[in-house]
């Protein structure tokens, strides 16, 4: 595999870990609106912390300390902002009441 392919793979894995971390923290929060995700979110904080550290490690390995931290936090916060809107748009609480 070429260096460009490996760099792209690291970036995809780091971005996925950042998104998964935000999803795990959202599942552990009391504001989670998806019932299935809320039930699975008991270990969300621990899993989210491990995924966040993995994402940070991958981004820092690819981009350096400061840039890796900024990219990790940026992706994490963007996902954390989108998840409540996505949950409100899908209206999972209305389906659970039927």
């Amino acid at each position: 595999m070429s260096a460009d392919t490996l760099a792209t793979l690291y970036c995809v894995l780091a971005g996925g870990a950042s998104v998964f971390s935000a999803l795990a923290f959202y599942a552990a929060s009391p504001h989670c609106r998806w019932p299935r995700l809320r039930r699975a979110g008991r270990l969300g904080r621990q899993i989210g912390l491990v995924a966040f550290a993995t994402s940070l490690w991958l981004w820092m390995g690819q981009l350096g300390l400061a840039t890796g931290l900024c990219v990790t936090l940026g992706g994490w916060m963007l996902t954390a902002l989108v998840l409540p809107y996505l949950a409100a748009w899908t209206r999972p609480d209305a389906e659970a009441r039927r």
Side-chain angles (χ1 to χ4, degrees):
M1 288 174 47
S2 68
D4 291 336
T5 305
L6 284 175
T8 304
L9 181 63
Y10 277 140
C11 291
V12 168
L13 286 174
S18 183
V19 168
F20 183 71
S21 171
L23 184 65
F25 277 117
Y26 181 68
S29 78
H31 304 289
C32 182
R33 297 184 67 177
W34 287 309
R36 181 176 289 168
L37 190 62
R38 198 176 324 139
R39 284 191 304 267
R42 295 183 183 178
L43 295 174
R45 285 189 177 92
Q46 290 85 10
I47 294 170
L49 188 61
V50 169
F52 183 79
T54 303
S55 174
L56 181 62
W57 178 68
L58 287 169
W59 280 121
M60 283 178 15
Q62 192 64 29
L63 302 172
L65 177 68
T67 308
L69 182 62
C70 289
V71 171
T72 301
L73 289 174
W76 189 79
M77 286 187 284
L78 180 65
T79 305
L81 285 172
V82 168
L83 283 172
Y85 290 110
L86 186 62
W89 184 51
T90 58
R91 299 180 189 247
D93 291 336
E95 292 175 8
R97 283 186 231 145
R98 289 182 187 179

